[in-house]
Amino acid sequence: QKEVEQNSGPLSVPEGAIASLNCTYSDRGSQSFFWYRQYSGKSPELIMSIYSNGDKEDGRFTAQLNKASQYVSLLIRDSQPSDSATYLCAVPPDSNYQLIWGAGTKLIIKP
Amino acid sequence: NAGVTQTPKFQVLKTGQSMTLQCAQDMNHNSMYWYRQDPGMGLRLIYYSASEGTTDKGEVPNGYNVSRLNKREFSLRLESAAPSQTSVYFCASSEAYETQYFGPGTRLLVL
């Protein structure tokens, strides 16, 4: 059974600090990794994708991938109250059009 | 450009009743998906359609059927609703499996 694991939280971070969200996956063959954000009562939306080992930056967001450790993380710099949401990690196990989803980490940014 | 639309937004059913959830996308995507999301759990794939004319079971297909009516529309049917099917249902579409675009969701309560 291929799995994606996330700490459910909630993770509480002061406004302006760095929020660090982590995800581990079981399938060593996975080649791409996705972070979605879901506000309460809303649908998920893609915020970052990463395909290669190392860091990928997009504004205040940085995705970090370590395939050897089967670990992907999302850093949010200068956290804002509007970043309060559940962050979902998703990994395609192979090329059959599916994504395996983690249960999500609830992030709370305290003003 | 509406993206992915779902109807209805809310529904209350009695055990044993049937209903169809409708989904349509206007992004000309080949692939469409039906998920359910329960509290504390990630998205679980019910069925997906990689392209018009094809459908495949996901992780939790029991109690559901789907129809890919055309490239735009993908419906989900509950033939005999059970309380265990109380959930939030999301439809999504994508050109490839990576960036999935979600509809607003249908909140279903089965009494």
Side-chain angles (χ1 to χ4, degrees):
Chain A
Q1 181 76 7
K2 296 171 180 174
E3 295 181 341
V4 175
E5 300 285 343
Q6 293 182 257
N7 188 323
S8 62
L11 175 65
S12 185
V13 174
E15 184 176 358
I18 296 175
S20 178
L21 304 162
N22 304 316
C23 172
T24 59
Y25 58 94
S26 62
D27 186 359
R28 285 193 170 274
S30 295
Q31 297 296 317
S32 48
F33 307 85
F34 307 95
W35 284 100
Y36 282 74
R37 177 177 62 200
Q38 185 175 25
Y39 290 115
S40 180
K42 302 296 186 182
S43 54
E45 58 179 340
L46 180 72
I47 53 171
M48 288 286 287
S49 58
I50 186 167
Y51 304 91
S52 304
N53 274 332
D55 295 358
K56 178 182 177 183
E57 187 174 318
D58 184 0
R60 295 186 297 110
F61 297 92
T62 299
Q64 299 177 317
L65 175 60
N66 184 327
K67 289 185 179 180
S69 299
Q70 296 176 247
Y71 176 94
V72 57
S73 64
L74 179 70
L75 302 179
I76 307 174
R77 291 183 301 281
D78 188 24
S79 297
Q80 302 297 310
S82 60
D83 296 324
S84 297
T86 295
Y87 290 80
L88 302 167
C89 175
V91 180
D94 49 41
S95 60
N96 70 349
Y97 299 95
Q98 295 188 42
L99 288 175
I100 305 299
W101 296 81
T105 298
K106 184 174 183 178
L107 176 66
I108 299 172
I109 306 300
K110 297 184 299 183
Chain B
N1 188 344
V4 180
T5 58
Q6 291 183 236
T7 56
K9 287 186 171 57
F10 302 95
Q11 185 71 47
V12 179
L13 291 178
K14 294 181 180 178
T15 297
Q17 288 185 318
S18 63
M19 77 165 295
T20 298
L21 283 66
Q22 306 286 354
C23 174
Q25 51 95 6
D26 62 3
M27 295 174 281
N28 202 36
H29 287 161
N30 282 311
S31 302
M32 297 186 73
Y33 309 82
W34 275 107
Y35 292 96
R36 60 178 290 173
Q37 187 175 39
D38 301 298
M41 302 186 73
L43 294 161
R44 292 188 290 169
L45 184 64
I46 304 171
Y47 272 92
Y48 67 100
S49 171
S51 61
E52 185 179 356
T54 68
T55 60
D56 287 284
K57 294 178 180 179
E59 180 185 355
V60 289
N62 291 343
Y64 305 94
N65 285 300
V66 290
S67 296
R68 183 75 184 265
L69 305 170
N70 47 55
K71 192 171 185 179
R72 290 186 64 250
E73 298 172 288
F74 188 38
S75 63
L76 177 72
R77 182 160 178 83
L78 288 69
E79 291 291 352
S80 179
S84 61
Q85 294 178 304
T86 292
S87 189
V88 180
Y89 291 84
F90 288 104
C91 176
S93 72
S94 68
E95 185 51 41
Y97 56 74
E98 298 154 349
T99 304
Q100 294 190 7
Y101 296 87
F102 286 79
T106 295
R107 283 151 182 78
L108 176 65
L109 173 62
V110 182
L111 301 175

PDB file of all heavy atoms in Angstrom, chain B residues 60-94:
ATOM      1  N   VAL B  60     -11.770   3.854  -3.175  1.00  0.00           N
ATOM      2  CA  VAL B  60     -13.008   3.556  -2.439  1.00  0.00           C
ATOM      3  C   VAL B  60     -14.224   3.553  -3.379  1.00  0.00           C
ATOM      4  O   VAL B  60     -15.138   4.368  -3.227  1.00  0.00           O
ATOM      5  CB  VAL B  60     -13.215   4.536  -1.264  1.00  0.00           C
ATOM      6  CG1 VAL B  60     -12.225   4.270  -0.160  1.00  0.00           C
ATOM      7  CG2 VAL B  60     -13.111   5.995  -1.738  1.00  0.00           C
ATOM      8  N   PRO B  61     -14.329   2.634  -4.344  1.00  0.00           N
ATOM      9  CA  PRO B  61     -15.406   2.675  -5.331  1.00  0.00           C
ATOM     10  C   PRO B  61     -16.725   2.042  -4.892  1.00  0.00           C
ATOM     11  O   PRO B  61     -17.761   2.286  -5.530  1.00  0.00           O
ATOM     12  CB  PRO B  61     -14.813   1.878  -6.493  1.00  0.00           C
ATOM     13  CG  PRO B  61     -13.937   0.853  -5.800  1.00  0.00           C
ATOM     14  CD  PRO B  61     -13.357   1.574  -4.604  1.00  0.00           C
ATOM     15  N   ASN B  62     -16.706   1.256  -3.824  1.00  0.00           N
ATOM     16  CA  ASN B  62     -17.910   0.503  -3.454  1.00  0.00           C
ATOM     17  C   ASN B  62     -19.061   1.429  -3.099  1.00  0.00           C
ATOM     18  O   ASN B  62     -18.929   2.357  -2.305  1.00  0.00           O
ATOM     19  CB  ASN B  62     -17.605  -0.426  -2.276  1.00  0.00           C
ATOM     20  CG  ASN B  62     -16.682  -1.557  -2.672  1.00  0.00           C
ATOM     21  OD1 ASN B  62     -16.505  -1.839  -3.864  1.00  0.00           O
ATOM     22  ND2 ASN B  62     -16.079  -2.206  -1.698  1.00  0.00           N
ATOM     23  N   GLY B  63     -20.232   1.157  -3.686  1.00  0.00           N
ATOM     24  CA  GLY B  63     -21.425   1.939  -3.427  1.00  0.00           C
ATOM     25  C   GLY B  63     -21.624   3.095  -4.394  1.00  0.00           C
ATOM     26  O   GLY B  63     -22.601   3.839  -4.275  1.00  0.00           O
ATOM     27  N   TYR B  64     -20.708   3.231  -5.357  1.00  0.00           N
ATOM     28  CA  TYR B  64     -20.756   4.336  -6.324  1.00  0.00           C
ATOM     29  C   TYR B  64     -20.659   3.806  -7.754  1.00  0.00           C
ATOM     30  O   TYR B  64     -20.065   2.764  -8.005  1.00  0.00           O
ATOM     31  CB  TYR B  64     -19.599   5.302  -6.100  1.00  0.00           C
ATOM     32  CG  TYR B  64     -19.470   5.860  -4.712  1.00  0.00           C
ATOM     33  CD1 TYR B  64     -18.627   5.250  -3.781  1.00  0.00           C
ATOM     34  CD2 TYR B  64     -20.176   6.990  -4.320  1.00  0.00           C
ATOM     35  CE1 TYR B  64     -18.497   5.754  -2.499  1.00  0.00           C
ATOM     36  CE2 TYR B  64     -20.044   7.509  -3.039  1.00  0.00           C
ATOM     37  CZ  TYR B  64     -19.203   6.880  -2.133  1.00  0.00           C
ATOM     38  OH  TYR B  64     -19.078   7.385  -0.866  1.00  0.00           O
ATOM     39  N   ASN B  65     -21.233   4.582  -8.669  1.00  0.00           N
ATOM     40  CA  ASN B  65     -21.025   4.364 -10.093  1.00  0.00           C
ATOM     41  C   ASN B  65     -20.781   5.704 -10.759  1.00  0.00           C
ATOM     42  O   ASN B  65     -21.186   6.748 -10.228  1.00  0.00           O
ATOM     43  CB  ASN B  65     -22.252   3.701 -10.733  1.00  0.00           C
ATOM     44  CG  ASN B  65     -22.350   2.237 -10.377  1.00  0.00           C
ATOM     45  OD1 ASN B  65     -21.443   1.455 -10.682  1.00  0.00           O
ATOM     46  ND2 ASN B  65     -23.420   1.853  -9.719  1.00  0.00           N
ATOM     47  N   VAL B  66     -20.103   5.671 -11.899  1.00  0.00           N
ATOM     48  CA  VAL B  66     -19.807   6.914 -12.596  1.00  0.00           C
ATOM     49  C   VAL B  66     -20.157   6.783 -14.072  1.00  0.00           C
ATOM     50  O   VAL B  66     -20.250   5.677 -14.613  1.00  0.00           O
ATOM     51  CB  VAL B  66     -18.320   7.321 -12.471  1.00  0.00           C
ATOM     52  CG1 VAL B  66     -17.992   7.747 -11.051  1.00  0.00           C
ATOM     53  CG2 VAL B  66     -17.403   6.204 -12.958  1.00  0.00           C
ATOM     54  N   SER B  67     -20.325   7.954 -14.679  1.00  0.00           N
ATOM     55  CA  SER B  67     -20.533   8.030 -16.126  1.00  0.00           C
ATOM     56  C   SER B  67     -19.744   9.208 -16.667  1.00  0.00           C
ATOM     57  O   SER B  67     -19.893  10.318 -16.160  1.00  0.00           O
ATOM     58  CB  SER B  67     -22.014   8.215 -16.472  1.00  0.00           C
ATOM     59  OG  SER B  67     -22.781   7.112 -16.070  1.00  0.00           O
ATOM     60  N   ARG B  68     -18.900   8.933 -17.665  1.00  0.00           N
ATOM     61  CA  ARG B  68     -18.232  10.046 -18.370  1.00  0.00           C
ATOM     62  C   ARG B  68     -19.102  10.320 -19.584  1.00  0.00           C
ATOM     63  O   ARG B  68     -19.002   9.673 -20.617  1.00  0.00           O
ATOM     64  CB  ARG B  68     -16.817   9.640 -18.780  1.00  0.00           C
ATOM     65  CG  ARG B  68     -16.040  10.764 -19.453  1.00  0.00           C
ATOM     66  CD  ARG B  68     -15.587  11.796 -18.471  1.00  0.00           C
ATOM     67  NE  ARG B  68     -14.921  12.918 -19.084  1.00  0.00           N
ATOM     68  CZ  ARG B  68     -13.592  13.016 -19.220  1.00  0.00           C
ATOM     69  NH1 ARG B  68     -12.805  12.036 -18.802  1.00  0.00           N
ATOM     70  NH2 ARG B  68     -13.073  14.084 -19.777  1.00  0.00           N
ATOM     71  N   LEU B  69     -19.975  11.288 -19.449  1.00  0.00           N
ATOM     72  CA  LEU B  69     -21.007  11.555 -20.439  1.00  0.00           C
ATOM     73  C   LEU B  69     -20.410  12.089 -21.742  1.00  0.00           C
ATOM     74  O   LEU B  69     -20.894  11.776 -22.840  1.00  0.00           O
ATOM     75  CB  LEU B  69     -22.016  12.535 -19.867  1.00  0.00           C
ATOM     76  CG  LEU B  69     -22.648  12.098 -18.523  1.00  0.00           C
ATOM     77  CD1 LEU B  69     -23.449  13.228 -17.909  1.00  0.00           C
ATOM     78  CD2 LEU B  69     -23.508  10.856 -18.724  1.00  0.00           C
ATOM     79  N   ASN B  70     -19.404  12.906 -21.632  1.00  0.00           N
ATOM     80  CA  ASN B  70     -18.676  13.482 -22.762  1.00  0.00           C
ATOM     81  C   ASN B  70     -17.388  14.054 -22.191  1.00  0.00           C
ATOM     82  O   ASN B  70     -17.084  13.821 -21.000  1.00  0.00           O
ATOM     83  CB  ASN B  70     -19.505  14.563 -23.471  1.00  0.00           C
ATOM     84  CG  ASN B  70     -20.128  15.525 -22.494  1.00  0.00           C
ATOM     85  OD1 ASN B  70     -19.406  16.118 -21.690  1.00  0.00           O
ATOM     86  ND2 ASN B  70     -21.446  15.685 -22.529  1.00  0.00           N
ATOM     87  N   LYS B  71     -16.630  14.797 -22.957  1.00  0.00           N
ATOM     88  CA  LYS B  71     -15.356  15.274 -22.435  1.00  0.00           C
ATOM     89  C   LYS B  71     -15.551  16.235 -21.271  1.00  0.00           C
ATOM     90  O   LYS B  71     -14.729  16.323 -20.369  1.00  0.00           O
ATOM     91  CB  LYS B  71     -14.553  15.949 -23.551  1.00  0.00           C
ATOM     92  CG  LYS B  71     -13.119  16.223 -23.166  1.00  0.00           C
ATOM     93  CD  LYS B  71     -12.306  16.685 -24.349  1.00  0.00           C
ATOM     94  CE  LYS B  71     -10.849  16.823 -23.951  1.00  0.00           C
ATOM     95  NZ  LYS B  71     -10.001  17.251 -25.085  1.00  0.00           N
ATOM     96  N   ARG B  72     -16.655  16.965 -21.252  1.00  0.00           N
ATOM     97  CA  ARG B  72     -16.881  17.985 -20.233  1.00  0.00           C
ATOM     98  C   ARG B  72     -17.454  17.442 -18.933  1.00  0.00           C
ATOM     99  O   ARG B  72     -17.213  17.998 -17.873  1.00  0.00           O
ATOM    100  CB  ARG B  72     -17.854  19.043 -20.772  1.00  0.00           C
ATOM    101  CG  ARG B  72     -17.337  19.937 -21.847  1.00  0.00           C
ATOM    102  CD  ARG B  72     -18.368  21.022 -22.155  1.00  0.00           C
ATOM    103  NE  ARG B  72     -18.591  21.908 -21.025  1.00  0.00           N
ATOM    104  CZ  ARG B  72     -19.711  21.951 -20.298  1.00  0.00           C
ATOM    105  NH1 ARG B  72     -20.721  21.142 -20.560  1.00  0.00           N
ATOM    106  NH2 ARG B  72     -19.837  22.803 -19.299  1.00  0.00           N
ATOM    107  N   GLU B  73     -18.259  16.375 -19.017  1.00  0.00           N
ATOM    108  CA  GLU B  73     -19.093  16.000 -17.882  1.00  0.00           C
ATOM    109  C   GLU B  73     -18.760  14.616 -17.321  1.00  0.00           C
ATOM    110  O   GLU B  73     -18.568  13.651 -18.085  1.00  0.00           O
ATOM    111  CB  GLU B  73     -20.559  16.041 -18.293  1.00  0.00           C
ATOM    112  CG  GLU B  73     -21.029  17.424 -18.726  1.00  0.00           C
ATOM    113  CD  GLU B  73     -22.428  17.371 -19.299  1.00  0.00           C
ATOM    114  OE1 GLU B  73     -22.607  16.860 -20.424  1.00  0.00           O
ATOM    115  OE2 GLU B  73     -23.346  17.841 -18.602  1.00  0.00           O
ATOM    116  N   PHE B  74     -18.769  14.542 -15.986  1.00  0.00           N
ATOM    117  CA  PHE B  74     -18.443  13.293 -15.287  1.00  0.00           C
ATOM    118  C   PHE B  74     -19.344  13.228 -14.069  1.00  0.00           C
ATOM    119  O   PHE B  74     -19.224  14.049 -13.160  1.00  0.00           O
ATOM    120  CB  PHE B  74     -16.964  13.328 -14.894  1.00  0.00           C
ATOM    121  CG  PHE B  74     -16.409  12.050 -14.346  1.00  0.00           C
ATOM    122  CD1 PHE B  74     -16.790  10.807 -14.846  1.00  0.00           C
ATOM    123  CD2 PHE B  74     -15.448  12.072 -13.346  1.00  0.00           C
ATOM    124  CE1 PHE B  74     -16.242   9.633 -14.367  1.00  0.00           C
ATOM    125  CE2 PHE B  74     -14.890  10.902 -12.852  1.00  0.00           C
ATOM    126  CZ  PHE B  74     -15.295   9.687 -13.363  1.00  0.00           C
ATOM    127  N   SER B  75     -20.278  12.273 -14.053  1.00  0.00           N
ATOM    128  CA  SER B  75     -21.246  12.219 -12.972  1.00  0.00           C
ATOM    129  C   SER B  75     -20.960  11.049 -12.037  1.00  0.00           C
ATOM    130  O   SER B  75     -20.383  10.030 -12.433  1.00  0.00           O
ATOM    131  CB  SER B  75     -22.668  12.118 -13.528  1.00  0.00           C
ATOM    132  OG  SER B  75     -22.826  10.911 -14.250  1.00  0.00           O
ATOM    133  N   LEU B  76     -21.384  11.212 -10.791  1.00  0.00           N
ATOM    134  CA  LEU B  76     -21.213  10.190  -9.754  1.00  0.00           C
ATOM    135  C   LEU B  76     -22.585   9.825  -9.207  1.00  0.00           C
ATOM    136  O   LEU B  76     -23.350  10.706  -8.803  1.00  0.00           O
ATOM    137  CB  LEU B  76     -20.341  10.738  -8.618  1.00  0.00           C
ATOM    138  CG  LEU B  76     -20.114   9.812  -7.418  1.00  0.00           C
ATOM    139  CD1 LEU B  76     -19.174   8.664  -7.810  1.00  0.00           C
ATOM    140  CD2 LEU B  76     -19.517  10.588  -6.242  1.00  0.00           C
ATOM    141  N   ARG B  77     -22.895   8.535  -9.183  1.00  0.00           N
ATOM    142  CA  ARG B  77     -24.213   8.108  -8.735  1.00  0.00           C
ATOM    143  C   ARG B  77     -24.101   7.232  -7.500  1.00  0.00           C
ATOM    144  O   ARG B  77     -23.263   6.319  -7.447  1.00  0.00           O
ATOM    145  CB  ARG B  77     -24.953   7.365  -9.841  1.00  0.00           C
ATOM    146  CG  ARG B  77     -26.357   6.948  -9.437  1.00  0.00           C
ATOM    147  CD  ARG B  77     -27.233   6.653 -10.630  1.00  0.00           C
ATOM    148  NE  ARG B  77     -28.568   6.201 -10.211  1.00  0.00           N
ATOM    149  CZ  ARG B  77     -29.560   7.036  -9.877  1.00  0.00           C
ATOM    150  NH1 ARG B  77     -29.361   8.351  -9.911  1.00  0.00           N
ATOM    151  NH2 ARG B  77     -30.741   6.563  -9.524  1.00  0.00           N
ATOM    152  N   LEU B  78     -24.961   7.541  -6.532  1.00  0.00           N
ATOM    153  CA  LEU B  78     -25.146   6.696  -5.363  1.00  0.00           C
ATOM    154  C   LEU B  78     -26.473   5.971  -5.551  1.00  0.00           C
ATOM    155  O   LEU B  78     -27.527   6.608  -5.585  1.00  0.00           O
ATOM    156  CB  LEU B  78     -25.186   7.519  -4.071  1.00  0.00           C
ATOM    157  CG  LEU B  78     -23.880   8.129  -3.562  1.00  0.00           C
ATOM    158  CD1 LEU B  78     -23.392   9.250  -4.470  1.00  0.00           C
ATOM    159  CD2 LEU B  78     -24.065   8.629  -2.141  1.00  0.00           C
ATOM    160  N   GLU B  79     -26.438   4.684  -5.711  1.00  0.00           N
ATOM    161  CA  GLU B  79     -27.664   3.932  -6.014  1.00  0.00           C
ATOM    162  C   GLU B  79     -28.535   3.741  -4.782  1.00  0.00           C
ATOM    163  O   GLU B  79     -29.749   3.805  -4.851  1.00  0.00           O
ATOM    164  CB  GLU B  79     -27.305   2.566  -6.605  1.00  0.00           C
ATOM    165  CG  GLU B  79     -26.697   2.634  -7.986  1.00  0.00           C
ATOM    166  CD  GLU B  79     -27.698   3.076  -9.051  1.00  0.00           C
ATOM    167  OE1 GLU B  79     -28.911   3.187  -8.760  1.00  0.00           O
ATOM    168  OE2 GLU B  79     -27.267   3.336 -10.195  1.00  0.00           O
ATOM    169  N   SER B  80     -27.902   3.488  -3.637  1.00  0.00           N
ATOM    170  CA  SER B  80     -28.643   3.253  -2.392  1.00  0.00           C
ATOM    171  C   SER B  80     -27.793   3.832  -1.267  1.00  0.00           C
ATOM    172  O   SER B  80     -26.896   3.169  -0.750  1.00  0.00           O
ATOM    173  CB  SER B  80     -28.884   1.756  -2.189  1.00  0.00           C
ATOM    174  OG  SER B  80     -29.580   1.528  -0.972  1.00  0.00           O
ATOM    175  N   ALA B  81     -28.080   5.091  -0.941  1.00  0.00           N
ATOM    176  CA  ALA B  81     -27.208   5.817  -0.020  1.00  0.00           C
ATOM    177  C   ALA B  81     -27.188   5.184   1.372  1.00  0.00           C
ATOM    178  O   ALA B  81     -28.221   4.690   1.867  1.00  0.00           O
ATOM    179  CB  ALA B  81     -27.657   7.266   0.070  1.00  0.00           C
ATOM    180  N   ALA B  82     -26.008   5.239   1.993  1.00  0.00           N
ATOM    181  CA  ALA B  82     -25.811   4.733   3.353  1.00  0.00           C
ATOM    182  C   ALA B  82     -25.188   5.844   4.197  1.00  0.00           C
ATOM    183  O   ALA B  82     -24.497   6.714   3.657  1.00  0.00           O
ATOM    184  CB  ALA B  82     -24.886   3.522   3.327  1.00  0.00           C
ATOM    185  N   PRO B  83     -25.417   5.836   5.514  1.00  0.00           N
ATOM    186  CA  PRO B  83     -24.822   6.873   6.371  1.00  0.00           C
ATOM    187  C   PRO B  83     -23.314   6.979   6.221  1.00  0.00           C
ATOM    188  O   PRO B  83     -22.747   8.075   6.376  1.00  0.00           O
ATOM    189  CB  PRO B  83     -25.230   6.425   7.776  1.00  0.00           C
ATOM    190  CG  PRO B  83     -26.531   5.703   7.580  1.00  0.00           C
ATOM    191  CD  PRO B  83     -26.356   4.965   6.275  1.00  0.00           C
ATOM    192  N   SER B  84     -22.642   5.865   5.890  1.00  0.00           N
ATOM    193  CA  SER B  84     -21.182   5.894   5.713  1.00  0.00           C
ATOM    194  C   SER B  84     -20.766   6.724   4.502  1.00  0.00           C
ATOM    195  O   SER B  84     -19.578   7.029   4.340  1.00  0.00           O
ATOM    196  CB  SER B  84     -20.644   4.468   5.553  1.00  0.00           C
ATOM    197  OG  SER B  84     -21.218   3.848   4.414  1.00  0.00           O
ATOM    198  N   GLN B  85     -21.724   7.094   3.671  1.00  0.00           N
ATOM    199  CA  GLN B  85     -21.422   7.916   2.507  1.00  0.00           C
ATOM    200  C   GLN B  85     -21.593   9.417   2.786  1.00  0.00           C
ATOM    201  O   GLN B  85     -21.424  10.232   1.884  1.00  0.00           O
ATOM    202  CB  GLN B  85     -22.279   7.491   1.305  1.00  0.00           C
ATOM    203  CG  GLN B  85     -21.924   6.093   0.826  1.00  0.00           C
ATOM    204  CD  GLN B  85     -22.778   5.625  -0.330  1.00  0.00           C
ATOM    205  OE1 GLN B  85     -24.011   5.605  -0.251  1.00  0.00           O
ATOM    206  NE2 GLN B  85     -22.130   5.221  -1.423  1.00  0.00           N
ATOM    207  N   THR B  86     -21.913   9.743   4.013  1.00  0.00           N
ATOM    208  CA  THR B  86     -21.916  11.149   4.427  1.00  0.00           C
ATOM    209  C   THR B  86     -20.492  11.676   4.306  1.00  0.00           C
ATOM    210  O   THR B  86     -19.567  11.130   4.902  1.00  0.00           O
ATOM    211  CB  THR B  86     -22.400  11.281   5.873  1.00  0.00           C
ATOM    212  OG1 THR B  86     -23.780  10.934   5.936  1.00  0.00           O
ATOM    213  CG2 THR B  86     -22.203  12.699   6.388  1.00  0.00           C
ATOM    214  N   SER B  87     -20.323  12.729   3.517  1.00  0.00           N
ATOM    215  CA  SER B  87     -18.979  13.207   3.229  1.00  0.00           C
ATOM    216  C   SER B  87     -19.073  14.488   2.402  1.00  0.00           C
ATOM    217  O   SER B  87     -20.154  14.958   2.060  1.00  0.00           O
ATOM    218  CB  SER B  87     -18.199  12.150   2.446  1.00  0.00           C
ATOM    219  OG  SER B  87     -16.832  12.500   2.325  1.00  0.00           O
ATOM    220  N   VAL B  88     -17.917  15.034   2.087  1.00  0.00           N
ATOM    221  CA  VAL B  88     -17.817  16.105   1.097  1.00  0.00           C
ATOM    222  C   VAL B  88     -17.223  15.499  -0.168  1.00  0.00           C
ATOM    223  O   VAL B  88     -16.180  14.841  -0.101  1.00  0.00           O
ATOM    224  CB  VAL B  88     -16.951  17.275   1.588  1.00  0.00           C
ATOM    225  CG1 VAL B  88     -16.872  18.360   0.517  1.00  0.00           C
ATOM    226  CG2 VAL B  88     -17.513  17.852   2.889  1.00  0.00           C
ATOM    227  N   TYR B  89     -17.880  15.714  -1.266  1.00  0.00           N
ATOM    228  CA  TYR B  89     -17.455  15.123  -2.532  1.00  0.00           C
ATOM    229  C   TYR B  89     -16.894  16.221  -3.436  1.00  0.00           C
ATOM    230  O   TYR B  89     -17.523  17.254  -3.648  1.00  0.00           O
ATOM    231  CB  TYR B  89     -18.630  14.433  -3.222  1.00  0.00           C
ATOM    232  CG  TYR B  89     -19.079  13.199  -2.483  1.00  0.00           C
ATOM    233  CD1 TYR B  89     -19.971  13.282  -1.411  1.00  0.00           C
ATOM    234  CD2 TYR B  89     -18.581  11.943  -2.829  1.00  0.00           C
ATOM    235  CE1 TYR B  89     -20.360  12.157  -0.718  1.00  0.00           C
ATOM    236  CE2 TYR B  89     -18.965  10.807  -2.142  1.00  0.00           C
ATOM    237  CZ  TYR B  89     -19.849  10.922  -1.077  1.00  0.00           C
ATOM    238  OH  TYR B  89     -20.230   9.796  -0.386  1.00  0.00           O
ATOM    239  N   PHE B  90     -15.696  15.961  -3.943  1.00  0.00           N
ATOM    240  CA  PHE B  90     -15.051  16.894  -4.862  1.00  0.00           C
ATOM    241  C   PHE B  90     -14.850  16.233  -6.217  1.00  0.00           C
ATOM    242  O   PHE B  90     -14.412  15.089  -6.307  1.00  0.00           O
ATOM    243  CB  PHE B  90     -13.686  17.330  -4.334  1.00  0.00           C
ATOM    244  CG  PHE B  90     -13.732  18.252  -3.151  1.00  0.00           C
ATOM    245  CD1 PHE B  90     -13.451  17.786  -1.880  1.00  0.00           C
ATOM    246  CD2 PHE B  90     -14.061  19.583  -3.313  1.00  0.00           C
ATOM    247  CE1 PHE B  90     -13.493  18.629  -0.784  1.00  0.00           C
ATOM    248  CE2 PHE B  90     -14.101  20.444  -2.226  1.00  0.00           C
ATOM    249  CZ  PHE B  90     -13.818  19.955  -0.960  1.00  0.00           C
ATOM    250  N   CYS B  91     -15.139  16.996  -7.236  1.00  0.00           N
ATOM    251  CA  CYS B  91     -14.799  16.628  -8.598  1.00  0.00           C
ATOM    252  C   CYS B  91     -13.566  17.438  -8.990  1.00  0.00           C
ATOM    253  O   CYS B  91     -13.399  18.594  -8.558  1.00  0.00           O
ATOM    254  CB  CYS B  91     -15.963  16.949  -9.527  1.00  0.00           C
ATOM    255  SG  CYS B  91     -15.645  16.644 -11.271  1.00  0.00           S
ATOM    256  N   ALA B  92     -12.683  16.845  -9.787  1.00  0.00           N
ATOM    257  CA  ALA B  92     -11.492  17.552 -10.243  1.00  0.00           C
ATOM    258  C   ALA B  92     -11.215  17.169 -11.689  1.00  0.00           C
ATOM    259  O   ALA B  92     -11.680  16.134 -12.176  1.00  0.00           O
ATOM    260  CB  ALA B  92     -10.286  17.207  -9.368  1.00  0.00           C
ATOM    261  N   SER B  93     -10.471  18.034 -12.372  1.00  0.00           N
ATOM    262  CA  SER B  93     -10.057  17.708 -13.732  1.00  0.00           C
ATOM    263  C   SER B  93      -8.601  18.100 -13.906  1.00  0.00           C
ATOM    264  O   SER B  93      -8.068  18.938 -13.169  1.00  0.00           O
ATOM    265  CB  SER B  93     -10.940  18.422 -14.759  1.00  0.00           C
ATOM    266  OG  SER B  93     -10.662  19.810 -14.792  1.00  0.00           O
ATOM    267  N   SER B  94      -7.960  17.484 -14.876  1.00  0.00           N
ATOM    268  CA  SER B  94      -6.572  17.824 -15.179  1.00  0.00           C
ATOM    269  C   SER B  94      -6.254  17.435 -16.605  1.00  0.00           C
ATOM    270  O   SER B  94      -6.891  16.550 -17.194  1.00  0.00           O
ATOM    271  CB  SER B  94      -5.612  17.107 -14.224  1.00  0.00           C
ATOM    272  OG  SER B  94      -5.609  15.716 -14.464  1.00  0.00           O
TER     273      SER B  94
END
